[in-house]
Amino acid sequence: MLLLGLAGAIWLAFWHRKQRKEGKPGVENWQLLLFGLGGTWLFLSLSIAAAAYWLMQTRSTVAAVDEGPLQWVYNFSLEGGMNGANVFSLRFRGANTSKKPVELKGAELISLIDGARLNLDIVATDAQGNSKIVQIDKVQLIPPGAPIELVAKFGPPDPAVPGNILGVVPKDFLEVWRKFSFNATDDTRSYQMEFNENSMMVFFQGKVGPRVSIKP
């Protein structure tokens, strides 16, 4: 629209000059000014309308995704697994973005390979201010604005260090958990996110996802 307005103004100026040279009536300077102001007003009006429409579309998109009251980050972190080390845990983060306390009733991972299920624990603070990993049913209501960290532990407990786990070797971990769904439920609704091999590639390069293989 701006280019059209400029083109129109330039054409009118040249036409006016040509008319003057040929002794024909053209347009007065005040008419040129009025035309320029009118074009500018039209351009600004259309620009403002387009911006308002874009904002409304953006807000409606966010509102459609933002269903709450809990929000989960579509990502996770992995403890272990580097250079062949055992995999100890996956961690998922979220928050209570609503204005009221929320009861988190439960959360689990479900393998999309064999259907195995694994309950998630939660990071919480005790009376002394220390962070601990506990079962979800051991925590109080999640207050508004509070961050949430859920933990999926892998492997049996470490008998030498209470509270620690031994983990599982990457091969065994990937056989079951290279594709899984994250499921959580609060007192109003359920949440689900699915993760495939592309999510694991950053941690296990060359072991999951598409790759070139040698012929058998």
Side-chain angles (χ1 to χ4, degrees), residues 107-109 117-121 136 151-153:
E108 65 176 354
L109 302 185
R117 294 173 177 264
L118 180 63
N119 288 330
L120 295 172
D121 294 326
I136 289 177
V151 183
K153 297 180 179 180

Side-chain angles (χ1 to χ4, degrees), residues 3-214:
L3 293 176
L4 289 175
L6 290 174
I10 293 173
W11 176 84
L12 183 60
F14 275 106
W15 178 83
H16 170 70
R17 184 177 180 183
K18 180 179 178 183
Q19 293 291 94
R20 290 299 189 187
K21 284 185 177 182
E22 295 177 356
K24 298 178 181 179
V27 293
E28 300 297 332
N29 290 335
W30 66 269
Q31 291 175 311
L32 285 174
L33 178 61
L34 184 62
F35 178 84
L37 291 174
T40 302
W41 175 83
L42 177 62
F43 169 72
L44 290 176
S45 298
L46 291 174
S47 298
I48 293 172
Y53 176 78
W54 179 82
L55 284 174
M56 287 191 296
Q57 291 296 100
T58 302
R59 288 177 181 175
S60 64
T61 301
V62 172
V65 174
D66 184 11
E67 297 177 355
L70 303 183
Q71 293 293 301
W72 301 102
V73 178
Y74 190 80
N75 203 345
F76 60 84
S77 60
L78 181 144
E79 180 185 3
M82 300 296 291
N83 299 320
N86 281 4
V87 176
F88 296 99
S89 69
L90 294 179
R91 295 183 180 238
F92 303 84
R93 290 170 175 80
N96 179 5
T97 59
S98 71
K99 297 181 179 180
K100 64 176 184 178
V102 174
E103 179 186 3
L104 182 60
K105 290 183 173 295
E108 65 176 354
L109 302 185
I110 301 177
S111 170
L112 299 179
I113 305 298
D114 64 2
R117 294 173 177 264
L118 180 63
N119 288 330
L120 295 172
D121 294 326
I122 188 169
V123 178
T125 304
D126 63 17
Q128 289 71 42
N130 301 313
S131 293
K132 294 183 177 181
I133 300 175
V134 299
Q135 295 177 350
I136 289 177
D137 60 4
K138 302 297 183 183
V139 300
Q140 302 181 37
L141 298 181
I142 299 174
I148 305 170
E149 183 176 5
L150 300 183
V151 183
K153 297 180 179 180
F154 299 93
D158 185 351
V161 184
N164 283 5
I165 52 177
L166 296 176
V168 294
V169 297
K171 180 178 180 297
D172 293 343
F173 172 79
L174 293 174
E175 284 181 355
V176 179
W177 299 108
R178 66 181 183 273
K179 294 192 293 184
F180 64 89
S181 68
F182 165 95
N183 302 268
T185 303
D186 62 28
D187 49 359
T188 62
R189 57 167 296 202
S190 296
Y191 308 82
Q192 183 179 52
M193 299 185 296
E194 290 192 358
F195 298 89
N196 55 29
E197 293 189 11
N198 292 332
S199 304
M200 290 292 179
M201 286 175 61
V202 65
F203 304 107
F204 303 97
Q205 295 184 5
K207 296 183 179 180
V208 293
R211 56 194 182 277
V212 178
S213 301
I214 298 175

